[in-house]
Amino acid sequence: MLNLSRWKVVLVLLSVVFGVLFAAPNIIPAKTLESLPAVMPKQRLNLGLDLQGGSYLLLEVDTAALRKERLVNLVEDVRTVLRDEQVAFTELRQVGGEVDLRITDPAQMSAALRALRNSVGAPLAGAPGGRDINVASGDDQHVRLSFVQEALNAEASRAVEQSIEIIRRRIDALGTREPTIIRQGVNRVVVQAPGESDPERLKSVIGQTAKLTFQMVDESVSLQEAVAGRIPPGSELLPSEEQGGAPLLVKRRALVTGEMLTDAKQTYDSQSGRAVVAFRFNSQGARRFGDATAANIGKRFAIVLDGKVISAPVIQSAITGGSGQISGNFTPESANELAVLLRAGALPAPLKVEEQRTVGAELGADAVRAGQISTGVGFVSILVFMVLSYGFLFGGISVVALVINGLLIVGTMSLTQATLTLPGIAGLILTLAVAVDANVLIYERMRDEVRAGRSLISAMDAGFSRAMTTIVDANVTSILAALIMFQFGSGPVRGFAWTLTIGVLTSVFSAVLVTQVLLAWWYRAARPKTLPIV
């Protein structure tokens, strides 16, 4: 105790300064905080959905629609491959989640199977030489193609993970701070956006698939014939916003997709002054777009967003610069929203809203007030207990260490921008309640050593050294439990676990090191002969 290391004193002082600096912005008024120098910390605690209000959405990734789209693409791939190989076929159609066709010439059966197995589908992960499409021959020159189940499951899982990342980028573009986006079950996603009080706006931004494609308009038949049912193979009727929802016949094969975009932003047309979305392709997209427009001068191409034709201009000349603009009946707000969606990327599959809730700010304020009251009551209870059990001196030192512990917790959470939720407040109260356990162990060990006949200085040293093993064991198990909750829990459970983890680390520091420094200063100043708590 008398030979207290200088590094311990310096570390305690630095920790106090850190706690005060990083915890203070939470109580300083916003205007005063803005006027402080730039070097001063200004991060505040991020309040979760249950404390500041916001929107809650439970979304389901429509993996069935993803498989349906893959099936449509498979039909087009089969048609393209066999035509390139000059293999005659008929009866190409979808049958119960599979693709079936008939090879016209029996002599071309082997060539057809070889071409399909080599060109259709993609390599299957974990199976060298395998592909994600099964190609099997049947009776009467029939060929049936089906998806490998493992590939479908892997694709569905990737779609959910990709959806989470795209949702996060879209919400970040809205300026919402610290959204919670987590996977729930196999194909569900929970979105919590603190501060966003309009779930409809949130749904409009994150729920739109935003799949952009550039497809050629099919003018091989008249629109009247197409509406009557004479749709050429490889084409489809899509509603056109330019024509008030009337259908337009376009080819299924996309020339370029939105995945090749590198930038999109809202701007204004130089001639009409209307709001438009300007876009730019990557090198691959620019090359494909330039080749497609050069080969189709004088023809119309459709800009399709989520199955609707936004516009269908005539190609006047080859567009080789890799950039262009999307015009339509846009307002500046809707054009900016579309630009945000295109920059974030298209969802791999549609999202269905299973549940939505709005938490009002007044409810969050009530929760904060209740948390403040419960924290205050808990602190006062601990203060009374420690003073009654160990007197004003030793009990007061424990309370000072407890205050420093609280500053360190709030400061650390503000620095790391961790989100504080109502369960997190519960974790904070629990941390404060058990923080004095270490002090109780140390003080009781000092009592035992003095009663055993040891000198005061030896008893105080033994109190810290011998109680340390028990303190470490108890707190290591708490951290392990918190880490397990953080790893496997979700939302509020993770908030509780994160607060508990920070609290355990700061509690050990404050209860042991801070208490030791304060008691050493007291001993050097007072030179007592007896232990005040015996």
Side-chain angles (χ1 to χ4, degrees):
M1 294 292 294
L2 290 176
N3 298 320
L4 186 65
S5 301
R6 180 172 296 177
W7 68 266
K8 292 183 179 181
V9 178
V10 173
L11 187 59
V12 169
L13 293 176
L14 289 177
S15 66
V16 173
V17 173
F18 168 85
V20 171
L21 283 178
F22 283 91
N26 294 283
I27 59 174
I28 296 177
K31 291 184 178 180
T32 306
L33 194 61
E34 292 175 0
S35 64
L36 294 177
V39 296
M40 296 295 292
K42 299 181 180 180
Q43 302 99 318
R44 292 187 173 188
L45 283 171
N46 282 322
L47 300 182
L49 180 68
D50 50 1
L51 295 183
Q52 68 166 309
S55 298
Y56 171 96
L57 294 176
L58 175 62
L59 307 171
E60 183 177 78
V61 181
D62 191 354
T63 53
L66 180 66
R67 296 184 181 186
K68 183 178 179 180
E69 181 183 358
R70 281 215 62 187
L71 198 61
V72 171
N73 293 337
L74 180 59
V75 171
E76 296 305 311
D77 290 341
V78 170
R79 180 179 287 113
T80 301
V81 168
L82 294 183
R83 283 180 177 175
D84 291 344
E85 296 292 328
Q86 299 182 346
V87 175
F89 61 93
T90 59
E91 303 175 22
L92 177 60
R93 64 190 188 277
Q94 301 176 25
V95 180
E98 299 179 342
V99 174
D100 187 79
L101 70 150
R102 182 178 181 274
I103 305 300
T104 306
D105 186 358
Q108 292 186 308
M109 190 69 176
S110 298
L113 291 173
R114 183 171 58 254
L116 292 174
R117 286 168 178 163
N118 292 336
S119 302
V120 176
L124 184 62
R131 300 185 73 82
D132 60 357
I133 302 293
N134 283 324
V135 181
S137 58
D139 298 334
D140 194 25
Q141 292 112 249
H142 274 269
V143 177
R144 179 158 290 195
L145 297 90
S146 60
F147 295 106
V148 176
Q149 188 60 43
E150 290 80 0
L152 287 176
N153 295 340
E155 185 175 31
S157 179
R158 286 195 303 271
V160 176
E161 294 173 359
Q162 186 179 352
S163 297
I164 291 174
E165 181 58 32
I166 291 172
I167 290 171
R168 188 179 305 280
R169 291 203 296 264
R170 292 181 179 183
I171 293 181
D172 288 344
L174 291 177
T176 301
R177 298 182 63 189
E178 291 297 319
T180 300
I181 306 170
I182 55 176
R183 184 170 184 167
Q184 185 180 88
V186 177
N187 61 345
R188 289 187 171 186
V189 179
V190 173
V191 178
Q192 295 182 3
E196 181 58 58
S197 59
D198 186 2
E200 294 300 327
R201 176 171 179 258
L202 198 62
K203 285 196 302 183
S204 67
V205 172
I206 68 176
Q208 186 171 341
T209 308
K211 184 175 182 180
L212 183 72
T213 57
F214 296 81
Q215 302 166 228
M216 293 304 301
V217 175
D218 190 346
E219 298 176 337
S220 61
V221 299
S222 66
L223 182 59
Q224 290 75 15
E225 291 176 308
V227 172
R230 291 188 54 195
I231 301 177
S235 298
E236 59 183 341
L237 280 172
L238 296 178
S240 173
E241 293 186 356
E242 276 190 335
Q243 302 176 14
L248 184 66
L249 185 64
V250 300
K251 295 184 178 180
R252 292 181 185 271
R253 178 65 62 180
L255 302 176
V256 189
T257 65
E259 296 174 355
M260 300 175 186
L261 292 178
T262 58
D263 188 27
K265 59 184 178 181
Q266 182 267 324
T267 184
Y268 295 93
D269 184 80
S270 59
Q271 297 180 353
S272 65
R274 292 183 176 180
V276 296
V277 177
F279 62 85
R280 180 173 295 278
F281 290 116
N282 60 19
S283 58
Q284 180 188 8
R287 184 175 62 255
R288 291 179 61 175
F289 195 61
D291 294 343
T293 53
N296 293 281
I297 294 176
K299 299 180 181 179
R300 299 170 68 196
F301 76 96
I303 302 175
V304 182
L305 178 68
D306 290 343
K308 294 182 179 180
V309 178
I310 299 177
S311 61
V314 176
I315 301 174
Q316 303 292 344
S317 61
I319 304 173
T320 57
S323 62
Q325 67 181 32
I326 303 172
S327 58
N329 298 321
F330 293 127
T331 63
E333 292 76 16
S334 62
N336 181 67
E337 186 174 294
L338 176 58
V340 168
L341 295 176
L342 295 180
R343 285 197 304 270
L347 290 169
L351 296 175
K352 296 188 293 185
V353 179
E354 297 293 321
E355 181 186 351
Q356 72 177 54
R357 295 201 304 266
T358 302
V359 179
E362 59 278 0
L363 295 178
D366 291 341
V368 172
R369 194 176 305 110
Q372 291 173 340
I373 294 173
S374 57
T375 303
V377 171
F379 178 79
V380 172
S381 301
I382 294 171
L383 187 151
V384 171
F385 171 79
M386 293 303 293
V387 169
L388 291 178
S389 299
Y390 301 103
F392 285 101
L393 177 62
F394 276 52
I397 287 176
S398 299
V399 172
V400 171
L402 192 62
V403 172
I404 294 175
N405 180 32
L407 290 175
L408 291 177
I409 294 175
V410 175
T412 303
M413 294 190 69
S414 299
L415 175 64
T416 58
Q417 291 292 277
T419 301
L420 181 65
T421 61
L422 196 58
I425 293 180
L428 178 62
I429 296 172
L430 176 63
T431 300
L432 295 177
V434 300
V436 293
D437 283 357
N439 292 116
V440 171
L441 289 173
I442 293 169
Y443 292 166
E444 291 301 325
R445 171 57 68 177
M446 289 181 183
R447 278 177 170 172
D448 292 342
E449 296 297 328
V450 169
R451 289 167 181 170
R454 301 187 67 169
S455 65
L456 176 58
I457 187 65
S458 298
M460 295 178 69
D461 280 333
F464 283 97
S465 60
R466 297 191 178 183
M468 197 63 193
T469 301
T470 305
I471 294 171
V472 170
D473 288 345
N475 286 281
V476 165
T477 54
S478 296
I479 287 182
L480 289 177
L483 292 177
I484 292 172
M485 286 190 290
F486 187 84
Q487 178 67 30
F488 298 103
S490 62
V493 175
R494 299 189 75 179
F496 174 82
W498 178 241
T499 307
L500 183 61
T501 301
I502 295 175
V504 168
L505 295 175
T506 57
S507 295
V508 173
F509 173 82
S510 60
V512 176
L513 200 59
V514 173
T515 302
Q516 188 177 29
V517 170
L518 293 177
L519 285 178
W521 285 346
W522 164 75
Y523 186 87
R524 290 182 179 180
R527 294 291 178 174
K529 301 299 182 183
T530 60
L531 189 68
I533 58 175
V534 175

